[in-house]
Amino acid sequence: MGKMDQLKRRAVTWHLALSLLLSIALAAWLLLHWFPAPFSFAAGALTGLVIVVSVDMCLGPMLTLLLIHSKKSLRENIFDGVVVATLQFSALAYGLWQVSLARPAAVVFWQDSFYLVKAFDYQERYGTQPDLSKLSSESVPVIYARYPLLLSELEQLERDIKVGIVPFENKALYRKVAEGLAEIRKSPLDINVLLAKYANLQQQLDSLATKQEQKDLIYSRLHSDYGTYLLVLDMSGKLVGLLKLPA
């Protein structure tokens, strides 16, 4: 096998270096804005990062390796470079759009558990993502979905369910989490049972609060596509943290 063409080698090296810098910047931005802690892994941030980094680090440099060559004229190499950049950024834009739909849009309590709702879920139901900033100041809004109190509300809920709108995605039920603290406290989750069952859970909990503080916290399950978690709130309804429960 002959040596790699010198121009090709330089082009691939620079392309890999620039792609690496772009991947690092995008990964940091995704984790800060679309998949913020503590919901990063519960929302599938790792999957999103794999998609973005794979497209950025593989597609462009591979095309550069195949197309750029010193035997081609300057005009041909420039044209090939533009084609490679266009394809790479188009694929990256599509990948980012797909990842944006998977980002966590809200964490909603319904009946006895919290549920992680993705941007795609709202997009599918309403065509856009609702503004929940008035209900929660968290980076990922923590919301309480109130069970209907009136017959008319209950009938509307039943109609919504029939057309595919599950209660924890039904924005008409949304209230501030503080309004549902009494119900959330009644959640049938015994933290002492979980601590006895999962050996490493106490260590995770100790990283969030002292032993004394742990007695004054509210614990509830959080269901997501990537597993079941333990959501921890203080007595005012402010988010304290999120712990992964073993399968």
Side-chain angles (χ1 to χ4, degrees):
M1 182 180 294
K3 294 182 178 179
M4 182 185 294
D5 178 83
Q6 187 174 1
L7 176 62
K8 183 190 296 287
R9 183 170 60 251
R10 288 204 305 267
V12 171
T13 300
W14 276 104
H15 202 153
L16 279 171
L18 292 174
S19 294
L20 177 61
L21 291 175
L22 181 59
S23 293
I24 293 173
L26 285 173
W29 191 87
L30 287 174
L31 290 174
L32 285 173
H33 298 282
W34 282 359
F35 296 88
F39 300 107
S40 302
F41 292 101
L46 183 60
T47 301
L49 291 176
V50 169
I51 292 174
V52 171
V53 172
S54 296
V55 169
D56 192 45
M57 291 297 297
C58 297
L59 179 62
M62 184 61 68
L63 289 174
T64 295
L65 178 64
L66 293 174
L67 296 178
I68 302 300
H69 202 285
S70 61
K71 291 184 178 180
K72 292 184 177 181
S73 67
L74 177 62
R75 182 177 180 179
E76 288 175 320
N77 279 321
I78 291 176
F79 176 80
D80 288 342
V82 171
V83 170
V84 169
T86 300
L87 289 173
Q88 181 173 1
F89 280 107
S90 297
L92 187 59
Y94 178 76
L96 285 172
W97 177 67
Q98 290 293 323
V99 172
S100 75
L101 294 177
R103 73 186 189 275
V107 173
V108 183
F109 184 86
W110 172 249
Q111 294 192 319
D112 63 358
S113 299
F114 279 92
Y115 296 85
L116 193 146
V117 184
K118 302 189 296 293
F120 173 78
D121 299 321
Y122 288 129
Q123 191 74 29
E124 187 178 40
R125 301 289 179 259
Y126 306 111
T128 185
Q129 184 172 328
D131 181 10
L132 303 176
S133 58
K134 293 182 179 179
L135 297 176
S136 175
S137 60
E138 301 285 354
S139 55
V140 177
V142 180
I143 308 293
Y144 166 67
R146 178 178 63 81
Y147 193 84
L149 301 177
L150 303 176
L151 178 59
S152 59
E153 294 176 335
L154 183 57
E155 291 173 342
Q156 181 60 54
L157 175 61
E158 291 174 348
R159 288 194 292 269
D160 291 338
I161 292 175
K162 286 181 180 179
V163 298
I165 302 178
V166 295
F168 55 84
E169 294 174 9
N170 192 332
K171 60 182 182 180
L173 304 176
Y174 287 0
R175 303 290 187 275
K176 292 183 178 180
V177 74
E179 297 181 29
L181 283 178
E183 183 179 342
I184 296 171
R185 289 193 191 102
K186 295 177 183 177
S187 174
L189 179 64
D190 190 331
I191 184 62
N192 293 317
V193 172
L194 290 178
L195 290 174
K197 184 177 181 180
Y198 303 117
N200 68 335
L201 188 58
Q202 183 64 66
Q203 185 177 357
Q204 295 183 60
L205 192 55
D206 289 341
S207 67
L208 294 180
T210 65
K211 289 288 196 301
Q212 184 61 38
E213 292 171 337
Q214 291 170 21
K215 298 178 182 178
D216 298 321
L217 296 176
I218 302 171
Y219 305 93
S220 182
R221 289 187 188 275
L222 169 69
H223 301 284
S224 82
D225 292 342
Y226 296 90
T228 302
Y229 292 77
L230 182 66
L231 187 75
V232 185
L233 303 171
D234 65 18
M235 286 300 178
S236 67
K238 183 177 177 60
L239 179 68
V240 175
L242 190 69
L243 306 178
K244 179 72 170 72
L245 293 178

